[in-house]
Amino acid sequence: MSTDRKIARASATLMAASAIGHVLSLAKEILVAATFGITRAMDAYFAALTIPTLLNNVLISTFGAVFIPIFVKYRLRNRDEANHIASVVINCISLLLLALAALLALLAPAVVGIVFRGLPPETALIAVKVLRVLSVTVVLSGLIGMISGVLNAQEHFAAPAFSQMCITVSTIVFILALASRSGIFVLPYGMIVGLAVQLVILIPVVARKGYQHFLSMRSDHPAVRGMVTLSLLFFATIVASHMNVVVDRIMASFLAAGSIAALGYADKLVQAPIMIFSMPIVTAAFPFFSAQAAGDRIDELRDSIAKAVRMTAFIFLPLTLVLAVLAHPFVTLLYQRGSFVPKAAALTSSVFTFYVLQLFFFTVTLLLVRVFLAFQRMSALIRLTVLGVALNAGLNLLLMRLTDPPVAGIALATSVVYAVLMSLMLLSVRRMIGGLRGGYVMDGVARMGIGAAGAAAAAAVVLRAVRAVDFASPLGGAFVRFAVPAAVAAAVFALAARLLRLEEPGKIAALLRAGPAAAGRTPGIPSLPR
């Protein structure tokens, strides 16, 4: 079976899990919006959540990016040796997570006071209390991330993906049962319980997959020393890349009340297609990219990258343009109820319109980052990432002054930065591997862009027509104003794909015909010795 088909099947498994999980997650976000709205308490929650999220993303992204290529390499030679290497790394990172969680709880007032200086005193006080509770998630999320990395390195994706639903379900239960009593704190409480359940589920799964953990801290193995060196470089890259989120929320803290919450709500909506489509493609592709790079199968790697970029364009170009056109009815349909009033919907939809423009650029950037990691080109990745952070900060300052509301300028800056980074990374990867099948990629992306533009134009025309209709139910009106234009847009793009003779629909149909059993588990790579 070809590597491209293996990547597609692994992606299908992850997409199925993400789709199911995000139906639940969508229900949770609707419940959160109706319960808490755009308030100072939600500003405090999103501000506090920024810090533990940054820590976990930095450490676990570093672990996964550096660990998977090396673990795959040694696992092909000797499973026990690979398990010893993984154990040493996991033990050391676990101790670091415990120390960071303790420091975060102890220094929460200083962290909030320094990082979010623009928050009013009462909002900052809530943020401190929430941050102390969330400090526990640093340890739990870290352990889950490392176990998931071990499973992904063994080409097992289902359990980590499906078990994430525990967090959503737990949060929903806490909101319904305790929101009136505990207020905003039900969100961190629910997260902690969900993470604990997920950890309990994953531990026996990784054991059944052949991983044996050793209580060793010996770091004299050359692979461990190599990981440390690479981790230091990648750590700087990840810190820089995730600083964009921190910088965005710091700047939003100086804007009108509710600006941080609007960014957070809009980001949740953008994250849904990213988690359903982007992350499965990237997560599934990375182990295969690593194997292709390690085996010097460059022609195969070029082909995999080109097809992945085209599939990304097929999914995200129409989705991006149609969601940008339908931003207001989309946000209104999902969020406007209870404490989430029309003014909050208008603010959030303005942010979402610009945030959603990043989808294609962001996903291709993630794919290309994995190519850099597969070849361990860390210094080039650091330079590009630092450039992105600097560009983001500068564009924030500029676009906040040019857009109304100002917080929408922060969202637009994010999308522009990812477009620039994608372009620069494409040039770098092209030089790195001696070409990218550019003609094949550009031909597909151009034709998909034409189809996506037609779909968005059709959505705009239909939206204008249905806006003139009065509905007895506001919720029913919001549903019609979103669903009817979206359905017309989907039909237009499907017709365009057929007329433009795109190959991607056929590939998706072939994968679906293979059945869920074929997609449920990703097979190994038979062309490499085990």
Side-chain angles (χ1 to χ4, degrees), residues 301-350:
L301 177 60
R302 288 193 199 100
D303 193 58
S304 295
I305 294 171
K307 290 178 179 177
V309 171
R310 279 185 55 128
M311 185 60 73
T312 299
F314 180 78
I315 294 170
F316 284 113
L317 288 182
L319 188 63
T320 296
L321 295 182
V322 172
L323 284 178
V325 169
L326 302 179
H328 190 267
F330 184 52
V331 171
T332 300
L333 173 64
L334 295 181
Y335 285 155
Q336 190 174 306
R337 57 184 56 79
S339 298
F340 205 93
V341 296
K343 182 179 179 181
L347 177 62
T348 303
S349 61
S350 297

Side-chain angles (χ1 to χ4, degrees), residues 248-270:
D248 288 351
R249 292 188 178 176
I250 290 172
M251 290 186 170
S253 72
F254 290 94
L255 300 177
S259 293
I260 298 178
L263 278 175
Y265 282 120
D267 183 59
K268 292 288 186 181
L269 295 180
V270 172

Side-chain angles (χ1 to χ4, degrees), residues 19-382:
I20 295 170
H22 275 80
V23 170
L24 285 172
S25 183
L26 182 59
K28 183 201 76 173
E29 295 307 325
I30 291 171
L31 187 59
V32 169
T35 305
F36 300 109
I38 290 185
T39 59
R40 292 195 183 278
M42 284 304 296
D43 278 348
Y45 172 72
F46 281 119
L49 186 62
T50 303
I51 306 303
T53 300
L54 173 65
L55 290 175
N56 273 304
N57 284 341
V58 167
L59 291 174
I60 302 309
S61 295
T62 300
F63 172 84
V66 175
F67 168 80
I68 287 179
I70 294 176
F71 184 83
V72 168
K73 177 181 177 181
Y74 278 89
R75 184 172 172 270
L76 294 173
R77 302 175 184 174
N78 186 303
R79 173 173 288 188
D80 286 341
E81 185 180 12
N83 286 342
H84 272 94
I85 293 168
S87 297
V88 171
V89 176
I90 290 173
N91 292 337
C92 292
I93 294 179
S94 296
L95 291 177
L96 178 59
L97 290 171
L98 285 168
L100 286 173
L103 283 173
L104 194 59
L106 181 65
L107 302 177
V111 171
V112 172
I114 293 171
V115 177
F116 295 102
R117 295 171 57 190
L119 291 177
E122 63 275 18
T123 307
L125 181 60
I126 299 172
V128 169
K129 294 178 180 178
V130 172
L131 180 55
R132 281 180 166 150
V133 178
L134 286 172
S135 63
V136 180
T137 66
V138 173
V139 178
L140 294 174
S141 295
L143 292 173
I144 290 167
M146 289 186 287
I147 292 174
S148 298
V150 173
L151 288 169
N152 290 165
Q154 298 181 82
E155 299 161 20
H156 181 83
F157 303 96
F162 281 100
S163 63
Q164 292 178 14
M165 298 175 203
C166 296
I167 304 168
T168 303
V169 172
S170 175
T171 304
I172 290 173
V173 170
F174 268 78
I175 293 171
L176 293 174
L178 298 172
S180 60
R181 184 187 311 171
S182 301
I184 198 70
F185 290 93
V186 295
L187 300 181
Y189 293 157
M191 185 184 298
I192 289 170
V193 172
L195 286 169
V197 173
Q198 185 183 6
L199 181 60
V200 170
I201 290 172
L202 289 180
I203 289 174
V205 174
V206 75
R208 287 197 300 269
K209 292 298 175 182
Y211 175 71
Q212 182 180 1
H213 193 74
F214 300 93
L215 297 177
S216 172
M217 300 288 289
R218 293 185 59 185
S219 59
D220 55 348
H221 193 286
V224 176
R225 292 198 300 269
M227 282 190 199
V228 171
T229 302
L230 288 173
S231 294
L232 292 175
L233 290 171
F234 190 70
F235 182 82
T237 304
I238 289 293
V239 169
S241 65
H242 284 90
M243 281 304 296
N244 283 336
V245 176
V246 178
V247 169
D248 288 351
R249 292 188 178 176
I250 290 172
M251 290 186 170
S253 72
F254 290 94
L255 300 177
S259 293
I260 298 178
L263 278 175
Y265 282 120
D267 183 59
K268 292 288 186 181
L269 295 180
V270 172
Q271 286 300 313
I274 286 175
M275 296 306 295
I276 292 172
F277 299 112
S278 302
M279 295 312 296
I281 293 171
V282 173
T283 302
F286 186 36
F288 297 104
F289 285 176
S290 298
Q292 288 166 337
D296 200 30
R297 307 199 310 269
I298 302 302
D299 286 341
E300 187 178 329
L301 177 60
R302 288 193 199 100
D303 193 58
S304 295
I305 294 171
K307 290 178 179 177
V309 171
R310 279 185 55 128
M311 185 60 73
T312 299
F314 180 78
I315 294 170
F316 284 113
L317 288 182
L319 188 63
T320 296
L321 295 182
V322 172
L323 284 178
V325 169
L326 302 179
H328 190 267
F330 184 52
V331 171
T332 300
L333 173 64
L334 295 181
Y335 285 155
Q336 190 174 306
R337 57 184 56 79
S339 298
F340 205 93
V341 296
K343 182 179 179 181
L347 177 62
T348 303
S349 61
S350 297
V351 175
F352 178 74
T353 299
F354 292 118
Y355 245 159
V356 78
L357 299 179
Q358 70 180 278
L359 288 175
F360 172 67
F361 309 126
F362 176 81
T363 307
V364 175
T365 298
L366 284 184
L367 278 168
L368 297 176
V369 164
R370 268 57 184 179
V371 179
F372 279 84
L373 297 175
F375 285 97
Q376 298 180 2
R377 300 293 179 87
M378 308 303 295
S379 58
L381 193 55
I382 290 174

